[in-house]
Amino acid sequence: KKMALEGDAASRLARDVFIERCRKYLGSYLLKLEGEVDAIVFTGGIGEKDSHAREAICTGLDKLTISLDQAKNDTAGSNSGFIMEIQKAFSLTKLLVVPTDEEVSIAQQSSEFALPVVEEAVAVPAPTHTRKPNSNICLHSVGESYTAAEELGFLSYFAGTVEHVGYFRPIRCEGSAFRLKLMKGHFRLSEDLESMYGVNQDEAWKLLADGHEDELYERILEKYMAYCANKDFVLVSTKTEGDDSLHLNAKLCSALDVPAIIVGAAESEAQFGIAQSVFERHGTPCLGGIVSHADNIESSKQKLEDLNLKPIAVLPREDILEKRTVSEVMTILENSVCLFGEEHLQNPIEKIRVYSMNVDDMLPIVEENELAVFYGNRVDSLMALLLSAQSSNAPSIAGVVLTLNQLGTMDPKVMSILNGVEDIRFPVISTPEFTFEAAYDLKHAPHFMTSESHKKIVAAQTLMATHLDYSFLEDFSSEDYSGASEVIGPRLFQFSTFLKAREVQKTVVLPEGADVRVVEAASILASRRLCKVILVGDPGVINANAQKARVSLEGIQIVNPPTYERLDEMVDAFVEARKKKGLTPEDAREILLTDVNYFGTLIMHLGVADGMVSGAMHSSANTIRPALQVLKTAPDATIVSSIFFMLLEDGVKVFGDCAINVDPDAKALSEIAVSSAKTAKQFGISPRVALLSYATGDSNKGDLVDKVIEATETAKEAATTEGFMDPNLIEGPLQFDAAVDPAVASVKMKGSPVAGHANVLIFPDLNSGNNGYKAVQQATKTVAVGPILQGLKKPVNDLSRGSTIEDIVNTAVLTALQASHNDHH
C-alpha cells in the first residue's frame, strides 16, 4: 500500500489488479444472489487495514443501495478486537470490518451481526423414510384466509424427505408474486419465477372468453411438465375465487393428474365439502383437508371426517402468522429504505396508524406494536417517538414510516444526530410515496410472507410439523397407495399427446375436404401446430366450407386430385401395388380421381404424408380397404385390429377390438391383446391387460371361455418372448366388473395384479366390443377416441360418421404419434 501510494508502478499495478479482482468476484456474487446480500465483510491484512482498498472496492455500488461512509471507513480497523460497520445509514447491505483472519470466526461473527436472531423451531420427531412420493399434490385454498404458512409448512416436510422440491401455480393471480418469491427464496429454488407458473390470470380469462379452454390447459401443462422434469416433488397451489375458478382449478388438477388437499380456515369449513364435490366431479381425488385458525381442534377434525375428508392437519391459531412485520411493509412500499434500526425489521405489527397531529396529542394515543406513519418532515414526531422508546413506561412501537421522504432529503444535521443515537429500538422506514398512497397500499396489499420473515417461517414449520398426520403421508408415499397405480387422467392423456404431437410435427392427410367438420378440424390442427395437414378435395368446396365455419386455411396444403402434379406417379405406384390383381393404369387413374380414400392412401404410399384420418363421410370398410390393398400390414402383424381410448374420469382405458374383427379365433384374439398393450405403451399407459368373458377364472365353462383362456396363454407367451411387458400383467378370462372394480376383484379374483386395475380391456368379439364401448360412452358421457387401427405399415384411422370436430382433432393427433412411433420402431 505504502509503495503504491508513493508512486511505485509495479506496486500500483499489483494493487489495482487485486482491487479489480475483488470487484469482479463481488459482482459475480451480487449477480448470483440477485443483489440480496446481508453483509460484505472486509478482513485479513488488506481488508482490515487498507481503507483506500475498501473505498475502491465499494466505488459505484450506490445504485445497489450499498454505500460506504467515508468517515467511518477512515477510522475502521484501528480498534482491534471489535467489528465495525462502515456503511451509510440508508445502505441496505452492511459493510463490516472484522479484525480476524480465522475463517470460522469470520463466518460466525458476520452472520450473527448481519442477520436477525431467529428462534429455533420446536423439535418434532419426523418420519425417517426418504421414498420419493408417488405423485405431486395440489393444495387448494378456500375462503379468505392466507395460506402461505400452510403451504410452506407442508412443502417443508417434503423438502426434508427428497432432494429436489418445487412449487407451481397453474394460474398466477394478483398478489401471487409474493408467494412465488417466498417459496423460491426459502427453498433456494434455482429456477426463475417465470417457470414457476403456467399463465397469468388475464391470459387465462381471455383464453376462456375466446372459447380456447383446451389451449389454456395445454399451455399450463407444457410449462408444468417442463418444470417437473428435474423435481422429486412439486407442490401445486390453486385457490377458489368464485364458482368459475373452483371448476377451472378442479379441471386443471385433473389435467395435471394431481390429487388435491383442501386448505382453509376453520370459519370456511362449509366450503370444504363444496370444493371436494367439484374436484371429484371433474376426476380429481381429494386426499383430505388442512384446517387453520382452529379454536377447537377435535371439532374441526370431526367436521372433516363427516365430509369423508381425512384430517391431514388441523392447526390452531398462531398470532405471529397473522401479523405483518416491518420488513414486509418495506416490500409493499415502493422504493422504501430502512434508515435506522435494521435489526428490528422483523417486529410484528398489530395496528397501522397515520398521524398528522402535534406531538403532545400523538404520544398519549400511541399503542403497543403500532406502526406510525407520518410525513417525512415531522422530525419532531420522530424524535419524540425515539425518546419515548427509551422509557419503560411507554409502549414499544413496531416502527415508523416517513412518507414523501427521498434519500438525502433529510437535513444533514438531523441525520448526523440520528446517526449518533446508539440504541434505536425500532426501524425507521423512508418512502417517497404520499401519506395517503402509503396508507392505502398497506391496507389493501394481500397478506404475504417473505424469505426474510424468519420468525414466521419457523412458526409455520413448527406448527405444521406438530400437527401433520404423518401416517397419511407414509401411506401416500407407499407402493400400495392407490395413487401409485398406472392410472393416467383423461386430460393429462389428451394434452400430453397434444404436446408430443406438436414436437414431432408429422403430416396427416384428411381426404374428406368436402365435409365442413373436417375443414374446421384441419384449421385447428394447423393453427395449434399439432401436425402438418393435407386437405384433399375441390379448392372451391374447401374454401366455401372454411367460410361457412369461419375458420382460416392458413398453413394447410390443399390438394385437388385432378390437378395434382404427382398424379401420374401415384397411378404407377397404385398399379404396381395391385399388379397381381390386374389393375390397369386407366382403372387406377379413375379410382384415384373418384375415391378420396384411395387418393389419400397413395399420398401416404409416396411418402408425402405420414398418416391418414377418414370416415366422417365414408364407411369403415371404404376407409380401411385402400390401406390393406396398398400399404399392407406391418411386418410383425398378421391382422389389423382396432382400439378406442376411453377418456374416463377415473383414468384412461383402452378397449379393443371394437370396430374390425367380427369373431376372432384364439390366435387372433391374442394378437389383438398384444397389439393393444403395445399401443397403450406407445401413449404412456402401463398396460394391465384383461381378456374379457362372461366368466371370471374357472367360474364357468364353454367354447367362448376356452377361447379366451387359450388367447390369454398365447399372449403371455408373446410377452415373455418379446419382453414388451410383464406376462403376469395379462389376465383372462375376467368379467368386466372384476377387471375394473377392486371391490369385486377382491371377491372374484383375489390376489390378481390385473383384476380390479385393468386398463386394457379386450372383448371376445365385435358384438360385445362395439356395444361395450358405446354403452360406456353413452352412460358416462365420456370421450371415446378412435377407432385407432393397429397392424398397418402406416397409420390409417377411421372416424365415425357422427364424429365431432373434437373427435377428428384427437384422432389426427394420435395418428401423428403413431407415425412417430413407427419411425423409431
Side-chain angles (χ1 to χ4, degrees):
K1 170 186 173 182
K2 181 179 179 182
M3 293 176 64
L5 296 178
E6 289 176 352
D8 182 78
S11 298
R12 183 181 300 168
L13 176 62
R15 180 180 171 80
D16 289 346
V17 169
F18 172 81
I19 289 170
E20 285 306 305
R21 183 169 291 175
C22 289
R23 287 172 59 80
K24 181 185 76 170
Y25 290 144
L26 180 59
S28 298
Y29 281 115
L30 289 170
L31 183 63
K32 180 67 175 176
L33 298 172
E34 300 179 342
E36 297 180 2
V37 179
D38 295 296
I40 297 173
V41 179
F42 295 95
T43 191
I46 298 176
E48 181 183 350
K49 299 175 181 177
D50 193 338
S51 62
H52 293 85
R54 295 194 297 261
E55 179 183 358
I57 290 170
C58 291
T59 299
L61 298 182
D62 300 74
K63 293 181 179 179
L64 297 175
T65 63
I66 301 173
S67 186
L68 180 140
D69 187 303
Q70 190 61 58
K72 293 179 181 178
N73 183 49
D74 290 341
T75 59
S78 58
N79 299 319
S80 179
F82 298 94
I83 297 177
M84 294 193 66
E85 295 184 55
I86 60 172
Q87 78 276 0
K88 289 183 179 178
F90 59 82
S91 177
L92 294 181
T93 300
K94 290 183 183 293
L95 301 175
L96 306 178
V97 178
V98 181
T100 179
D101 57 0
E102 296 294 328
E103 287 84 349
V104 174
S105 180
I106 292 170
Q108 290 177 341
Q109 293 184 52
S110 301
S111 61
E112 290 169 3
F113 203 91
L115 297 176
V117 176
V118 179
E119 298 175 3
E120 292 295 326
V122 176
V124 177
T128 57
H129 82 86
T130 56
R131 186 185 296 118
K132 180 178 177 179
N134 291 311
S135 168
N136 298 328
I137 293 177
C138 172
L139 289 191
H140 178 77
S141 305
V142 297
E144 300 299 323
S145 62
Y146 176 62
T147 57
E150 289 76 35
E151 290 185 347
L152 187 141
F154 190 77
L155 186 54
S156 293
Y157 164 80
F158 288 97
T161 61
V162 297
E163 186 173 356
H164 301 292
V165 298
Y167 180 85
F168 187 83
R169 281 217 158 190
I171 298 177
R172 182 179 183 267
C173 56
E174 184 180 356
S176 60
F178 293 116
R179 191 79 57 93
L180 294 171
K181 289 178 181 177
L182 166 65
M183 299 301 178
K184 174 178 169 61
H186 177 69
F187 292 103
R188 299 180 182 179
L189 305 179
S190 59
E191 56 270 13
D192 56 66
L193 293 177
E194 186 77 18
S195 67
M196 294 173 66
Y197 68 89
V199 298
N200 284 313
Q201 190 174 49
D202 290 345
E203 296 177 77
W205 292 129
K206 186 177 188 307
L207 287 168
L208 291 172
D210 293 341
H212 300 315
E213 185 174 350
D214 285 354
E215 186 177 345
L216 170 64
Y217 296 146
E218 282 180 54
R219 288 172 59 177
I220 292 173
L221 184 62
E222 185 171 17
K223 290 191 69 174
Y224 173 73
M225 293 177 72
Y227 183 75
C228 293
N230 299 312
K231 302 292 185 186
D232 298 314
F233 175 79
V234 174
L235 180 64
V236 178
S237 172
T238 59
K239 178 174 176 57
T240 295
E241 296 183 85
D243 290 344
D244 290 341
S245 71
L246 176 57
H247 284 271
L248 176 61
N249 285 316
K251 293 178 186 176
L252 282 171
C253 285
S254 177
L256 303 183
D257 211 20
V258 292
I261 294 175
I262 312 300
V263 186
E267 57 265 26
S268 302
E269 286 169 342
Q271 298 184 42
F272 277 61
I274 298 171
Q276 176 191 19
S277 174
V278 171
F279 270 70
E280 292 181 347
R281 188 188 314 163
H282 291 292
T284 299
C286 288
L287 305 179
I290 296 177
V291 178
S292 63
H293 304 83
D295 295 319
N296 186 321
I297 291 179
E298 292 306 316
S299 174
S300 292
K301 283 185 177 180
Q302 187 59 53
K303 288 178 181 178
L304 288 179
E305 290 171 353
D306 290 344
L307 294 170
N308 201 28
L309 279 172
K310 183 177 181 65
I312 306 300
V314 177
L315 311 174
R317 293 183 183 274
E318 179 63 60
D319 287 344
I320 191 173
L321 295 175
E322 299 184 29
K323 299 172 183 176
R324 289 200 194 280
T325 65
V326 182
S327 174
E328 292 162 5
V329 164
M330 288 189 65
T331 304
I332 297 169
L333 298 179
E334 189 174 351
N335 298 319
S336 60
V337 174
C338 184
L339 300 178
F340 313 100
E342 296 99 327
E343 63 271 26
H344 301 296
L345 283 173
Q346 298 306 318
N347 284 354
I349 301 168
E350 292 189 2
K351 177 184 287 187
I352 298 175
R353 181 177 284 170
V354 177
Y355 289 102
S356 61
M357 58 187 68
N358 294 329
V359 171
D360 54 349
D361 294 322
M362 175 185 72
L363 288 178
I365 63 173
V366 171
E367 297 182 19
E368 191 80 13
N369 295 326
E370 176 181 290
L371 181 70
V373 182
F374 48 80
Y375 184 35
N377 69 353
R378 293 297 304 270
V379 177
D380 57 335
S381 297
L382 177 60
M383 294 296 190
L385 290 173
L386 288 170
L387 179 60
S388 173
Q390 304 297 318
S391 170
S392 60
N393 297 323
S396 299
I397 67 170
V400 167
V401 173
L402 303 178
T403 61
L404 272 177
N405 191 271
Q406 299 277 5
L407 284 177
T409 58
M410 185 174 286
D411 188 294
K413 292 182 179 179
V414 175
M415 284 294 293
S416 178
I417 293 171
L418 293 172
N419 279 324
V421 178
E422 293 185 359
D423 185 18
I424 294 181
R425 299 187 178 183
F426 55 79
V428 179
I429 309 301
S430 166
T431 177
E433 291 190 32
F434 286 92
T435 303
F436 176 79
E437 291 175 342
Y440 182 88
D441 289 345
L442 293 175
K443 179 177 176 59
H444 292 92
H447 283 284
F448 65 94
M449 294 162 54
T450 73
S451 57
E452 299 301 316
S453 303
H454 302 292
K455 292 182 179 180
K456 285 188 175 183
I457 288 172
V458 170
Q461 292 173 322
T462 303
L463 196 65
M464 184 61 74
T466 304
H467 297 280
L468 189 64
D469 184 346
Y470 288 111
S471 66
F472 157 75
L473 290 166
E474 286 288 334
D475 293 341
F476 175 73
S477 299
S478 72
E479 295 177 359
D480 295 331
Y481 178 68
S482 60
S485 66
E486 297 83 0
V487 174
I488 295 181
R491 293 179 181 85
L492 177 62
F493 174 82
Q494 186 173 11
F495 298 122
S496 61
T497 58
F498 282 16
L499 294 177
K500 292 173 187 174
R502 187 176 290 121
E503 182 180 344
V504 299
Q505 281 297 295
K506 292 299 178 180
T507 301
V508 176
V509 58
L510 304 177
E512 298 169 311
D515 191 302
V516 67
R517 294 169 298 169
V518 173
V519 173
E520 187 168 350
S523 179
I524 293 172
L525 291 165
S527 64
R528 292 169 67 176
R529 298 180 295 106
L530 296 172
C531 62
K532 298 174 185 176
V533 180
I534 297 174
L535 260 181
V536 177
D538 185 323
V541 174
I542 291 173
N543 278 286
N545 281 334
Q547 291 178 1
K548 182 178 180 181
R550 297 183 179 181
V551 296
S552 170
L553 295 174
E554 184 178 354
I556 298 173
Q557 181 183 352
I558 298 175
V559 173
N560 187 19
T563 61
Y564 186 47
E565 64 272 14
R566 298 185 66 176
L567 180 60
D568 290 341
E569 190 179 347
M570 292 173 72
V571 169
D572 294 340
F574 194 10
V575 170
E576 176 64 24
R578 301 292 289 166
K579 62 183 179 182
K580 290 183 179 179
K581 297 296 182 180
L583 181 67
T584 65
E586 293 77 18
D587 289 340
R589 184 179 298 272
E590 178 66 21
I591 293 172
L592 290 172
L593 292 178
T594 56
D595 192 322
V596 291
N597 286 314
Y598 274 101
F599 189 89
T601 302
L602 263 297
I603 284 182
M604 292 174 61
H605 190 58
L606 293 182
V608 178
D610 303 298
M612 185 177 88
V613 175
S614 186
M617 301 174 65
H618 298 85
S619 67
S620 297
N622 288 337
T623 298
I624 298 168
R625 186 184 302 110
L628 292 172
Q629 292 179 355
V630 177
L631 301 175
K632 315 293 187 187
T633 58
D636 59 348
T638 61
I639 62 169
V640 174
S641 60
S642 73
I643 62 163
F644 281 87
F645 286 102
M646 308 298 292
L647 307 190
L648 295 158
E649 287 292 353
D650 62 348
V652 176
K653 289 182 170 53
V654 174
F655 285 12
D657 176 358
C658 306
I660 304 296
N661 295 281
V662 176
D663 187 17
D665 59 19
K667 183 176 182 302
L669 190 61
S670 70
E671 186 170 334
I672 293 169
V674 168
S675 296
S676 300
K678 290 179 178 178
T679 301
K681 289 191 70 173
Q682 289 177 25
F683 291 95
I685 298 172
S686 298
R688 291 176 185 258
V689 183
L691 284 84
L692 302 177
S693 175
Y694 59 81
T696 293
D698 56 2
S699 65
N700 212 324
K701 298 186 180 299
D703 292 342
L704 185 55
V705 174
D706 293 339
K707 180 177 79 169
V708 172
I709 292 173
E710 183 183 345
T712 301
E713 292 305 315
T714 306
K716 286 185 173 186
E717 291 171 7
T720 302
T721 303
E722 299 178 34
F724 61 87
M725 68 177 293
D726 182 351
N728 292 318
L729 297 181
I730 301 174
E731 188 79 74
L734 287 172
Q735 291 164 288
F736 191 95
D737 57 352
V740 300
D741 189 332
V744 176
S746 66
V747 176
K748 292 188 174 183
M749 202 71 172
K750 189 174 182 179
S752 167
V754 176
H757 302 287
N759 52 18
V760 178
L761 296 113
I762 307 303
F763 291 87
D765 55 39
L766 186 59
N767 183 48
S768 59
N770 190 267
N771 281 292
Y773 104 80
K774 287 183 176 178
V776 172
Q777 181 186 36
Q778 293 301 314
T780 62
K781 303 302 178 187
T782 194
V783 175
V785 181
I788 304 299
L789 303 189
Q790 308 168 138
L792 290 168
K793 283 184 178 178
K794 286 192 173 185
V796 173
N797 287 315
D798 182 33
L799 297 168
S800 164
R801 276 168 281 184
S803 295
T804 65
I805 295 162
E806 182 183 16
D807 293 335
I808 300 170
V809 170
N810 287 335
T811 304
V813 166
L814 296 184
T815 303
L817 292 181
Q818 279 184 297
S820 175
H821 176 80
N822 286 351
D823 289 347
H824 293 300
H825 186 65

